[in-house]
Amino acid sequence: MEGAQPQDQVAAEVTAQRVKPRRPHHKSRNGCLQCKGRKIKCGEEKPTCKKCQSYGTECSFLQTYPLQRALPPPPTVLSWTDPKPTPTGSRPPTIQSMLSPDPPFTPNSSSAISSPMGRSSPPPENYTMQDLELLHFYTTTYSDHFFEDPKLIEIYRTTVVHLAFDYPFLMHEIMSVAALNLAILRPQKRASYLHASDTHAATGLSLFHSEISNLNEHNCHACLAFSALIFTNAWAAQDVNKPSTLFFSASSDDEDYDQIKWIKLQRGTKALISTAWPTLVNGPLAAMFVPWKDLDPNRADPLPEDEERRFQELAESWSVASTVSEERRKILDGALRDTRRVFSMLTLFPELSKITIIMAWLTQISDEYLELLEHKFPQAILIVMYYCIVLQRLESAWWMKGKAENLMQTMIDVLGSGWERWTRWPIEKVFHRQVQLF
């Protein structure tokens, strides 16, 4: 027995020599598009990875990662408040998860806009040839299709771009929306453009965070332009083949629910305008406000006879319902007035921007009404179905194609049966089909 001990010791040493420690494996999602398509590990060498060199193919790093350009900051700093950290091994953040400011922007304790002695110089930026392509596309093509008003087109083509030269967060957003549009127009390079769009959106949102936290008479114009463009990213990210996540998650997946709060970023535009109004109406974007300044906020909102009758019927869905509390009736009445005003303005003021009128509804509805929507309150859903009628009038915009129908179908599925008296008209208007009542 005593002689066996040295043998055991030798065997243990031999075994220890044979078992080598495993090399640590570090996962990365920063590989080039070509390696991702081949499902192989990318070495991430710049300006072109070794795998692409060996295959003799062009590496996407040549377009999206210049030699001295830093990668965008992690998404944990993109929103106006720190979002939940992404757990290791979970799916990468989407553009919707980037657009998750909660709560929306509110001014500092002092209601007046701050006026520092001066503003810091913008950080140096290194742009690629693809970035120049995106800026050229935006100034020559994109802005022509974003607004139907020639005055607004000119503002976004020239004035906003000039502001972007001083405020990189705005330049990144301009390039982001341009890349989104090109991803549709040039499907052969779709993956590359989408990658560029997400990169610019992430960088722009990160820079925007620090600017909006220190809103002043210098940066408020660029912040407003940024807010007017950013909702394009969120609308374009809505997959029409899946339930809409505009107001709530169609499923009970909490992760999906956290990704839809981008709408509060757009609603923050209202607070921004209210805070900086005296400066904005006398600044470089003043022409945007000219058609709106003289409108009486207490004006009547007349409607054609048929629409008037439809809105009266809609109000009856809660005014005669014993299960709806007085408090909720007031909330629904307010949302109905906001919706009615959109319908009325599209008829009475054809000279105003259709996009501005329709999208303004998202900033006008109350927080209490949004809360009813988040809880899928039936009468609140009915109002959204009426809103889908005017939303469809933006179908010509590339980022709105199919979105009204998608939102309407989601509302139908969530609402269920028993509401056909009020759903028939909006369904017929949006889907252009007759609905039989049984």
Side-chain angles (χ1 to χ4, degrees):
M1 293 295 292
E2 292 180 355
Q5 186 173 358
Q7 287 185 335
D8 293 343
Q9 185 175 357
V10 172
E13 291 176 355
V14 172
T15 302
Q17 291 176 358
R18 290 178 179 175
V19 179
K20 297 181 180 180
R22 296 182 61 183
R23 294 173 58 186
H25 176 63
H26 301 286
K27 291 185 178 180
S28 172
R29 295 190 178 95
N30 298 325
C32 72
L33 299 176
Q34 287 73 19
C35 287
K36 289 180 180 179
R38 299 186 189 106
K39 297 182 179 180
I40 59 177
K41 179 174 175 58
C42 180
E44 301 182 24
E45 296 85 3
K46 310 295 190 306
T48 179
C49 74
K50 291 183 179 179
K51 295 292 176 62
C52 284
Q53 284 182 326
S54 64
Y55 278 93
T57 58
E58 181 180 355
C59 182
S60 64
F61 286 152
L62 287 171
Q63 295 180 326
T64 56
Y65 287 98
L67 285 173
Q68 297 181 349
R69 180 173 178 175
L71 290 175
T76 52
V77 297
L78 295 179
S79 64
W80 291 352
T81 57
D82 291 336
K84 299 175 182 178
T86 303
T88 303
S90 65
R91 65 189 182 189
T94 64
I95 185 61
Q96 283 182 309
S97 65
M98 297 177 193
L99 306 175
S100 303
D102 189 14
F105 162 73
T106 52
N108 296 329
S109 56
S110 58
S111 59
I113 191 169
S114 62
S115 177
M117 294 296 293
R119 58 177 298 273
S120 59
S121 300
E125 293 285 327
N126 294 302
Y127 293 112
T128 66
M129 291 299 292
Q130 186 187 53
D131 295 337
L132 298 180
E133 174 195 14
L134 298 177
L135 182 59
H136 177 266
F137 174 78
Y138 176 87
T139 56
T140 59
T141 306
Y142 178 86
S143 51
D144 289 345
H145 302 288
F146 190 65
F147 289 106
E148 68 279 13
D149 184 346
K151 293 181 180 178
L152 287 177
I153 291 174
E154 190 60 25
I155 288 174
Y156 275 84
R157 191 208 318 266
T158 58
T159 307
V160 170
V161 174
H162 289 160
L163 285 171
F165 290 139
D166 287 330
Y167 294 93
F169 71 89
L170 181 56
M171 182 63 76
H172 283 292
E173 175 56 21
I174 285 174
M175 293 181 180
S176 176
V177 294
L180 273 177
N181 197 180
L182 282 170
I184 296 175
L185 296 177
R186 303 173 185 174
Q188 69 277 13
K189 298 176 64 177
R190 175 179 171 82
S192 177
Y193 285 129
L194 290 180
H195 180 77
S197 178
D198 282 348
T199 300
H200 282 298
T203 306
L205 280 164
S206 177
L207 297 173
F208 177 68
H209 180 278
S210 60
E211 294 286 349
I212 199 67
S213 300
N214 298 281
L215 189 68
N216 57 62
E217 64 183 11
H218 302 287
N219 67 10
C220 62
H221 313 288
C223 287
L224 177 64
F226 181 94
S227 299
L229 287 172
I230 193 63
F231 67 86
T232 308
N233 297 76
W235 278 104
Q238 295 279 316
D239 188 346
V240 295
N241 297 313
K242 299 179 180 179
S244 172
T245 57
L246 183 62
F247 296 110
F248 49 72
S249 174
S251 67
S252 58
D253 189 338
D254 290 336
E255 184 178 359
D256 286 341
Y257 182 77
D258 286 340
Q259 294 179 6
I260 67 171
K261 295 179 182 178
W262 65 267
I263 190 174
K264 294 186 179 180
L265 178 58
Q266 186 177 354
R267 288 172 61 74
T269 306
K270 182 179 180 181
L272 190 158
I273 293 176
S274 300
T275 304
W277 177 255
T279 305
L280 291 171
V281 295
N282 294 296
L285 303 180
M288 293 174 57
F289 303 101
V290 171
W292 301 83
K293 287 195 299 184
D294 297 329
L295 291 179
D296 181 6
N298 299 316
R299 66 187 181 277
D301 296 309
L303 294 173
E305 182 178 351
D306 181 58
E307 291 183 357
E308 181 70 50
R309 177 170 59 86
R310 301 292 184 179
F311 272 82
Q312 290 178 358
E313 291 177 352
L314 179 57
E316 292 175 2
S317 69
W318 61 81
S319 63
V320 298
S322 59
T323 56
V324 181
S325 66
E326 184 64 26
E327 180 183 2
R328 287 180 171 175
R329 288 179 185 178
K330 291 180 180 179
I331 296 172
L332 293 168
D333 286 340
L336 187 67
R337 286 193 298 271
D338 293 332
T339 310
R340 177 192 177 98
R341 172 152 291 186
V342 174
F343 276 77
S344 179
M345 290 186 69
L346 290 172
T347 302
L348 297 180
F349 304 101
E351 72 278 7
L352 296 181
S353 167
K354 187 166 55 176
I355 291 178
T356 305
I357 292 174
I358 295 174
M359 288 300 163
W361 183 83
L362 295 168
T363 66
Q364 295 299 321
I365 53 178
S366 67
D367 291 335
E368 293 78 11
Y369 172 68
L370 274 181
E371 186 176 352
L372 290 181
L373 274 178
E374 290 176 1
H375 289 87
K376 303 178 182 178
F377 194 72
Q379 286 86 345
I381 292 176
L382 289 175
I383 294 177
V384 173
M385 295 177 74
Y386 273 54
Y387 176 63
C388 287
I389 297 175
V390 293
L391 199 62
Q392 195 186 44
R393 300 186 188 184
L394 302 181
E395 181 74 12
S396 59
W398 63 269
W399 43 275
M400 284 300 299
K401 289 187 181 300
K403 303 301 165 62
E405 293 88 341
N406 176 244
L407 181 59
M408 173 66 81
Q409 188 60 56
T410 301
M411 297 298 110
I412 293 173
D413 295 340
V414 172
L415 186 61
S417 60
W419 302 90
E420 287 76 10
R421 175 188 172 189
W422 298 283
T423 61
R424 177 181 179 180
W425 184 60
I427 289 176
E428 290 180 344
K429 285 290 186 178
V430 172
F431 291 116
H432 306 291
R433 67 169 188 250
Q434 292 294 318
V435 178
Q436 299 296 328
L437 294 179
F438 296 99

